[in-house]
Amino acid sequence: QSVLTQPPSASGTPGQRVTIPCSGNRYNIGNNTINWYQQVLGTAPKLLIHRKNQRPSGVPDRFSGSKSGTSASLAISGLQSEDEGDYYCAAWDDSLNAWVFGGGTKLTVL
Amino acid sequence: QVQLVESGGGVVQPGRSLRLSCAASGFTFSNYGMHWVRQAPGKGLEWVAVISYDGTITYYGASVKGRFTISRDNSKSTLFLQMNSLRPKDTAIYFCATELKVWGQGTLVTVSS
């Protein structure tokens, strides 16, 4: 069981906006910034969002992150077929002195 | 460009040891904290360990604490993970990552008799 909770699956049609939630507690999401990753089958995870909704160079602005209290979410607008893959949230946990990941959400573009 | 290349994976019997390496290039290795993250077959990501830029501070995930040791050689731009008392549940692809931003392609460790 992961410390951060994500739904196992999500889906949308091309052009649609989808959101992927990530729930934690005051020691992780509530007190630290969130990283979001995309992993396409068979490849290494790719950082999408870090710090306060910062996107690394090359990540389209269709991807955005938000946080409220002990929950966070990743929004993908203008959904494209290439967005299919697994998405993970991560945060530092002050009580565990460890990084913690969500269990991952498999995004399907219908 | 930033490049991380893991090596040292393979098949090992339960209870034995293995040492992973991660060769870094394209950036000033000694300026950045480094992580190991693993992914069991068909499963999600699990954080393993982190080491500070100068090697003085380390933290570990609960499942590997006391068995794994993270270290680095800044003169060779290389990160290490010494894995002792390996268990079948340690079977996974092991990724190194710089500050959890740029990731290597991973190396597969299989613990099986």
Side-chain angles (χ1 to χ4, degrees):
Chain A
Q1 187 127 0
S2 303
V3 175
L4 302 182
T5 302
Q6 297 180 237
S9 64
S11 63
T13 56
Q16 198 174 18
R17 182 179 187 269
V18 297
T19 60
I20 297 173
C22 174
S23 176
N25 60 39
R26 62 187 169 125
Y27 297 110
N28 40 64
I29 295 179
N31 207 33
N32 297 292
T33 59
I34 313 303
N35 288 1
W36 284 96
Y37 299 90
Q38 176 194 56
Q39 186 179 32
V40 177
L41 193 62
T43 67
K46 173 187 173 183
L47 179 66
L48 293 175
I49 301 289
H50 66 126
R51 296 183 181 175
K52 290 189 177 180
N53 197 21
Q54 300 281 312
R55 286 185 308 278
S57 172
V59 175
D61 59 6
R62 301 187 295 107
F63 294 89
S64 63
S66 63
K67 186 178 90 166
S68 178
T70 59
S71 294
S73 64
L74 174 72
I76 309 172
S77 60
L79 197 63
Q80 300 178 4
S81 58
E82 67 207 50
D83 297 333
E84 277 203 341
D86 297 317
Y87 290 81
Y88 296 89
C89 56
W92 176 256
D93 190 295
D94 294 329
S95 69
L96 298 174
N97 278 332
W99 276 85
V100 290
F101 280 86
T105 297
K106 184 176 188 61
L107 176 64
T108 302
V109 180
L110 302 170
Chain B
Q1 72 282 17
V2 175
Q3 190 170 15
L4 300 171
V5 179
E6 302 91 339
S7 60
V11 180
V12 61
Q13 292 180 327
R16 303 297 290 265
S17 299
L18 204 61
R19 189 195 199 201
L20 305 183
S21 299
C22 169
S25 60
F27 66 105
T28 305
F29 180 74
S30 58
N31 285 354
Y32 294 90
M34 295 294 295
H35 298 250
W36 287 100
V37 178
R38 69 185 182 183
Q39 186 170 35
K43 303 295 185 182
L45 301 173
E46 180 188 9
W47 179 79
V48 172
V50 62
I51 187 167
S52 60
Y53 70 99
D54 60 358
T56 58
I57 300 172
T58 58
Y59 292 105
Y60 297 89
S63 61
V64 307
K65 196 175 295 185
R67 299 188 300 123
F68 289 12
T69 301
I70 188 171
S71 63
R72 64 191 298 159
D73 184 340
N74 284 346
S75 68
K76 296 181 179 179
S77 296
T78 304
L79 175 73
F80 302 101
L81 184 67
Q82 177 66 42
M83 304 185 294
N84 299 331
S85 303
L86 282 162
R87 306 165 179 167
K89 284 189 175 182
D90 295 320
T91 294
I93 296 173
Y94 285 74
F95 298 98
C96 64
T98 171
E99 297 194 335
L100 288 180
K101 292 178 181 177
V102 179
W103 298 53
Q105 288 304 305
T107 185
L108 176 62
V109 173
T110 303
V111 184
S112 173
S113 53

